[in-house]
Amino acid sequence: MNEAVQLMAALKTRLRAQGLTYRDVARALQLSEVSVKRLFKSGRITLDRLAQVAHLLGFSLAELAREAEASLPRLRTLTASQERELVSDPRLLLVAICALNHWTLADMVATYRLSETECLERLLRLDRLGLIDLMPGNRIRIKVARDFDWLPDGPIRSLFRSDGLEDFLDSRFLATGEEMAFTQGMLTEPAMAELRVELRRLREKFAALHDEGLAAPIGQRRGTGLLLAMREWEPRAFAEL
């Protein structure tokens, strides 16, 4: 779906939501209703006309574009084959993580020992994998939801367990911005279910805070890991007794 079609789809959705008709749009644009229907059907609308309709709906063009972007379907999980390809090439995985965190190609090249050609090659692979759309000017449109899940026993989690978990936990968690808490108790099944809902909400809050920070320069954003885990558990030493 190209950008013009996305914008028109967002306009139609907002018109329906506000109970406005093509006749209302025609009156605002000083056009015939037939002309408005033709505009919406063809999708051939000038920027000025688009701004006029957006204004009628109480939106700026920038807000309309954000709404159109937010309405796109996003992947909630990847397939095993997609994950396998990501872990098969460390540079591909690096570029994927950067892209999913809204880095530009220039940011990646400036930060890591990657040439522009290497980055572009891997962005094109991510495009073929369906994780992003590589747009004109090497702009990156993300097709993965911010709070998506890796496969429970898939290649990414296996890589994290083998190569990332020990590295992540290799800290005293005393520095500014670091926090570690551990608690233990006896919970009923309903209580565990309620806690799982709260963990999901925390993930959603993390994703929302990530999105809120996208307008800040990349130098003001910090790569942050949050590990959430819950299971029925007894220390091995206790179990042996």
Side-chain angles (χ1 to χ4, degrees):
M1 185 185 292
N2 63 40
E3 289 173 305
V5 174
Q6 290 168 21
L7 287 171
M8 295 305 292
L11 280 178
K12 292 176 184 177
T13 298
R14 295 312 307 172
L15 284 170
R16 287 194 296 271
Q18 296 185 26
L20 297 174
T21 65
Y22 287 150
R23 182 174 298 175
D24 297 316
V25 177
R27 191 179 299 117
L29 270 57
Q30 297 183 335
L31 295 173
S32 69
E33 189 175 347
V34 171
S35 297
V36 170
K37 287 181 179 177
R38 190 180 301 119
L39 279 177
F40 274 78
K41 185 176 181 180
S42 67
R44 296 172 185 168
I45 184 169
T46 66
L47 196 59
D48 287 340
R49 291 291 191 204
L50 197 60
Q52 285 178 299
V53 181
H55 182 72
L56 173 66
L57 294 166
F59 283 82
S60 68
L61 275 178
E63 289 169 332
L64 181 66
R66 283 196 294 271
E67 174 139 333
E69 179 76 13
S71 68
L72 291 173
R74 300 295 178 100
L75 296 174
R76 289 286 170 184
T77 58
L78 306 185
T79 65
S81 61
Q82 286 172 319
E83 287 199 5
R84 275 196 298 272
E85 181 157 355
L86 287 176
V87 301
S88 70
D89 177 358
R91 282 180 166 78
L92 178 64
L93 183 58
L94 169 62
V95 171
I97 296 300
C98 288
L100 295 181
N101 280 291
H102 295 266
W103 287 39
T104 65
L105 183 147
D107 293 330
M108 299 178 207
V109 171
T111 305
Y112 294 103
R113 290 194 300 274
L114 291 169
S115 68
E116 184 171 316
T117 299
E118 286 177 310
C119 268
L120 277 174
E121 287 174 352
R122 285 159 178 83
L123 287 171
L124 286 169
R125 285 172 67 183
L126 295 176
D127 186 294
R128 289 194 294 271
L129 281 170
L131 275 65
I132 66 168
D133 284 326
L134 188 58
M135 310 292 287
N138 296 325
R139 290 182 297 112
I140 301 166
R141 176 187 291 153
I142 299 168
K143 299 171 71 174
V144 176
R146 178 61 239 170
D147 58 344
F148 77 101
D149 289 313
W150 300 116
L151 293 173
D153 199 28
I156 296 290
R157 286 203 185 183
S158 295
L159 180 67
F160 179 69
R161 283 194 297 268
S162 63
D163 296 353
L165 184 57
E166 185 177 349
D167 182 45
F168 180 78
L169 294 175
D170 186 21
S171 169
R172 297 180 66 192
F173 290 91
L174 298 175
T176 302
E178 294 187 344
E179 181 77 26
M180 173 180 269
F182 176 78
T183 188
Q184 193 276 337
M186 303 286 287
L187 299 181
T188 64
E189 285 292 338
M192 291 178 72
E194 182 178 342
L195 193 54
R196 282 193 293 271
V197 171
E198 291 301 319
L199 292 177
R200 182 69 192 184
R201 285 177 181 158
L202 182 57
R203 287 191 60 197
E204 291 170 352
K205 179 64 175 179
F206 189 97
L209 291 171
H210 165 87
D211 289 341
E212 287 175 16
L214 292 179
I218 196 167
Q220 295 178 15
R221 291 182 276 147
R222 302 288 181 265
T224 304
L226 174 65
L227 177 64
L228 305 174
M230 183 181 78
R231 69 181 181 96
E232 187 174 346
W233 178 74
E234 181 178 37
R236 186 177 296 126
F238 291 4
E240 289 174 353
L241 296 174

